[in-house]
Amino acid sequence: MKQIALAWLLLVLALPAIVRRGQRPPTEESTFSVFEAGIPEMQAAMKAGRTSSHEIVQQYLTRIALYEDKLNAAITINPDALKDADERDRERGQGRLRGPLHGIPVALKDNIQTTNMPTTGGALAFDGLIPPYEATLTKNLRDAGAIIIAKTGMTELANWVSSNMPGNYNALKGYGMNPYDPRRDPRDATFDGRPVMGTGGSSSGIGTSANFWTANVGTETSGSILSPSNQNMLAAVKPTVGRVSRHGVIPITADQDTPGPMAKWVTDAAIMLGALEGTAPDPGDSATRACSPPPGHDYTQFLRADGLKGARIGIPRASFYERATPPGSDRARGGLNPDQLKVMEEAIAVLKQQGAVIVDPADIPSIVEKDPKENFLLWGICSGMDDAKGKDDDCSVDLKYGMKRDFNAWLASLGPAAPVKTLTELRAWNKAHEKAGALKYGQAQLDISDEMDLEHDRARSEADRAKDIRLGGTHGIDAAMKTGNLDALLFPGANGSALAARPGYPTVIVPFGMVPNATPAANPTGSPASPFPAGFNPKPQPFGVSFTGMACSEPTLLRLAYGFERATKKRTPPAGLR
């Protein structure tokens, strides 16, 4: 019923534009198109009177009405989006401009609190939840003049429900589809409705890539901004943890969680980052004092076409480009397939042509470490029942411990509005509503979190957190960059996300190439993925490049990413959605 209601809402909101298009051809003043348009283009068009915020929102609503059923990009559409646009247009007419986001429609991941739309995290238990307060970043965006047009789909509770859950699946709306191949996977092992082309981590880049809105805000604990941006050919910033406030965002763990912007262009991502950061540290999130903001909170000042000239960029070959065998193991791990490696070699050639100094290899010390206890490849994240209590000596408990600690604190912050009061109650609610679809993929992640004892296991969590920082940061990214005197490390796609996530370091990803679809069919044995049926030809999928640095290095990373984007201009919109 909710999907039917959403479809009717979209039709009603979009009908005026559809009718107008049927009545008369567009005039010169109304020919501005939102398709692939960036924020500066929109602002220039509004300033010149060629369009308005109302018209921009109307165009986006029309696109949503036409293509949402095919892609399932949104959980909620703001019914007051046009009213909000009219208010921004009135302010513009009065000469009151709030900044570069004035009148620009953006979307928020549905774990980011809004008080004019539900915030659900994709969970049935939170269906219709209107929280008692807005997220700080929501207020920052509104203060900057942005229009929150929608809440995006997401993997349920940011993919901390079940280790078997496909990306962008949630019990409320089902599966999000990748606009570069919006078909279902036909293979027997994965014939449950999921997309044939993966959509990436728990944030959704579907709607931004399909031009449903200008940009969106995702959240990342380990890969959930970078992975969907890679899969949907977007530019994005995974900020240093604390650069953007987490207050009012449904958590996994405060140790690694961060919101960040996802957009089609680096410039748009930079504009979004400045607005998300806000004008002052947030009393609701002490980590927001970790990084000093740039003058005027303006990250566009670092965007230079020659931003790569003289930059020292390291290539972490071991594990990230080439397979590596950790000490004591007989199995090589990681590496790229030939098509992915070809894309990265082309990217490295571009860097050289643009005047960058390439340090190759610039391996991560903790990746090539001979001591098994200090090797990053042998120190994973505890996940699923195989890493339940008593079986978790060789993995970090930081996420499963942090989920219970921080999720329970978030529920308490909702007061009487909270549908459940604890993680234990949520697990019980899910079991009681299994027939309604609450547990299609189980809840092993919630189970292993809830078995943690916040007092008894605190010392273990703190020790694991220290090791995470050491292997990912001190003996990882920090050591590699200091040894090579580097400005950044270049990672393929989102491959470096887990490494940078442990110490909370930033990454900027840029669209670049296309490679054959490598989405595996579900296969718990680890054997090769099932082949596609005869006659089914999967389409190529996007594959970007990522610039990663140490804490608070977003200005440098944005400069490098912008220089690379300007030199390549490889962003290609999905076919069939014009």
Side-chain angles (χ1 to χ4, degrees):
M1 290 297 294
K2 286 187 178 295
Q3 290 191 356
I4 294 173
L6 177 59
W8 275 107
L9 172 62
L10 291 172
L11 181 60
V12 170
L13 290 172
L15 190 58
I18 295 173
V19 170
R20 280 203 308 273
R21 290 181 180 186
Q23 289 177 336
R24 60 177 174 79
T27 64
E28 182 179 353
E29 289 76 18
S30 62
T31 55
F32 179 81
S33 171
V34 299
F35 189 79
E36 293 294 283
I39 293 172
E41 296 170 73
M42 292 183 178
Q43 292 295 355
M46 286 190 283
K47 181 178 181 180
R50 293 175 51 224
T51 191
S52 64
S53 181
H54 183 106
E55 174 61 22
I56 287 171
V57 169
Q58 188 73 77
Q59 285 194 45
Y60 280 133
L61 290 173
T62 301
R63 291 188 58 79
I64 295 169
L66 290 172
Y67 301 119
E68 169 65 8
D69 284 350
K70 186 176 187 178
L71 300 178
N72 206 16
I75 288 182
T76 305
I77 303 296
N78 181 4
D80 294 325
L82 287 170
K83 185 188 301 183
D84 294 343
D86 290 340
E87 180 59 28
R88 298 291 84 76
D89 285 336
R90 279 193 291 271
E91 290 177 350
R92 183 181 294 274
Q94 297 166 357
R96 295 170 53 210
L97 293 180
R98 303 186 184 202
L101 280 181
H102 189 101
I104 302 296
V106 301
L108 304 182
K109 187 175 179 178
D110 203 29
N111 62 345
I112 298 169
Q113 290 178 202
T114 48
T115 53
N116 65 331
M117 289 177 278
T119 300
T120 71
L124 280 178
F126 300 135
D127 189 13
L129 169 66
I130 302 293
Y133 63 97
E134 282 195 325
T136 299
L137 74 84
T138 303
K139 181 180 184 301
N140 289 345
L141 286 172
R142 293 192 199 280
D143 289 348
I147 297 164
I148 312 301
I149 191 173
K151 303 296 285 294
T152 72
M154 59 179 290
T155 320
E156 188 170 333
L157 295 182
N159 204 19
W160 198 259
V161 175
S162 168
S163 54
N164 299 318
M165 186 175 285
N168 259 227
Y169 171 84
N170 62 75
L172 273 179
K173 288 294 296 291
Y175 305 93
M177 311 303 284
N178 193 310
Y180 287 91
D181 195 347
R183 296 177 291 173
R184 301 184 188 280
D185 194 323
R187 294 172 289 183
D188 289 342
T190 42
F191 193 61
D192 58 2
R194 72 183 64 188
V196 68
M197 182 181 292
T199 56
S202 70
S203 303
S204 176
I206 297 167
T208 298
S209 192
N211 290 276
F212 284 3
W213 36 76
T214 310
N216 68 286
V217 182
T219 68
E220 174 159 330
T221 307
S222 184
S224 289
I225 291 173
L226 298 175
S227 176
S229 297
N230 184 58
Q231 290 292 108
N232 291 277
M233 213 168 204
L234 298 177
V237 182
K238 182 266 181 180
T240 304
V241 170
R243 175 75 77 175
V244 178
S245 173
R246 286 84 51 84
H247 181 64
V249 179
I250 302 175
I252 293 181
T253 175
D255 295 333
Q256 292 185 196
D257 291 347
T258 178
M262 303 165 63
K264 291 179 287 292
W265 315 108
V266 173
T267 298
D268 291 359
I271 291 171
M272 286 282 289
L273 181 61
L276 290 170
E277 189 175 42
T279 57
D282 180 12
D285 184 354
S286 60
T288 52
R289 298 184 180 278
C291 297
S292 298
H297 297 268
D298 178 13
Y299 288 89
T300 64
Q301 63 189 292
F302 305 109
L303 308 183
R304 304 201 321 256
D306 65 347
L308 290 167
K309 188 175 182 180
R312 293 179 60 83
I313 299 174
I315 311 300
R317 290 279 172 185
S319 183
F320 300 104
Y321 290 72
E322 301 168 356
R323 293 178 68 77
T325 303
S329 176
D330 58 0
R331 179 172 63 89
R333 308 184 185 190
L336 302 177
N337 64 40
D339 295 298
Q340 294 167 336
L341 186 59
K342 182 174 183 292
V343 168
M344 292 310 298
E345 294 302 335
E346 291 173 356
I348 293 169
V350 170
L351 297 177
K352 291 178 179 177
Q353 292 165 4
Q354 295 299 308
V357 177
I358 302 301
V359 180
D360 186 4
D363 287 331
I364 307 297
S366 61
I367 295 290
V368 296
E369 173 63 54
K370 300 302 182 185
D371 181 354
K373 294 182 180 180
E374 294 297 311
N375 189 287
F376 184 86
L377 299 178
L378 298 175
W379 182 243
I381 295 292
C382 296
S383 177
M385 294 311 297
D386 288 343
D387 291 330
K389 265 195 170 185
K391 299 185 287 185
D392 56 2
D393 289 342
D394 60 351
C395 58
S396 174
V397 304
D398 191 49
L399 266 64
K400 67 174 182 173
Y401 179 91
M403 174 62 173
K404 184 170 185 176
R405 176 194 65 201
D406 298 333
F407 188 74
N408 280 348
W410 170 74
L411 287 172
S413 78
L414 298 179
V420 295
K421 304 304 181 185
T422 64
L423 180 56
T424 303
E425 285 190 19
L426 174 61
R427 292 170 57 235
W429 192 98
N430 286 340
K431 288 181 180 179
H433 295 83
E434 186 168 1
K435 289 184 179 179
L439 290 177
K440 181 170 183 175
Y441 293 100
Q443 55 179 350
Q445 303 290 60
L446 301 182
D447 291 340
I448 65 170
S449 282
D450 207 23
E451 70 179 2
M452 300 300 287
D453 184 310
L454 295 185
E455 289 300 322
H456 182 268
D457 295 322
R458 180 183 300 169
R460 166 69 192 276
S461 174
E462 291 173 350
D464 286 5
R465 175 65 182 150
K467 186 171 181 178
D468 286 345
I469 294 172
R470 184 169 69 252
L471 298 190
T474 313
H475 193 45
I477 291 171
D478 292 358
M481 292 192 66
K482 290 175 181 177
T483 298
N485 190 25
L486 304 176
D487 292 291
L489 291 158
L490 185 77
F491 287 99
N495 290 13
S497 60
L499 180 73
R502 305 289 186 95
Y505 286 177
T507 298
V508 180
I509 191 168
V510 187
F512 184 57
M514 300 290 284
V515 298
N517 185 352
T519 301
N523 198 329
T525 65
S527 56
S530 302
F532 289 103
F536 185 93
N537 297 312
K539 297 178 181 178
Q541 67 182 25
F543 195 77
V545 300
S546 295
F547 297 88
T548 294
M550 293 186 284
C552 306
S553 62
E554 287 90 341
T556 297
L557 301 180
L558 283 164
R559 171 172 59 84
L560 302 176
Y562 182 76
F564 184 83
E565 179 188 69
R566 285 291 301 269
T568 56
K569 299 179 181 178
K570 288 293 187 75
R571 156 79 188 171
T572 304
L577 299 176
R578 184 75 198 212

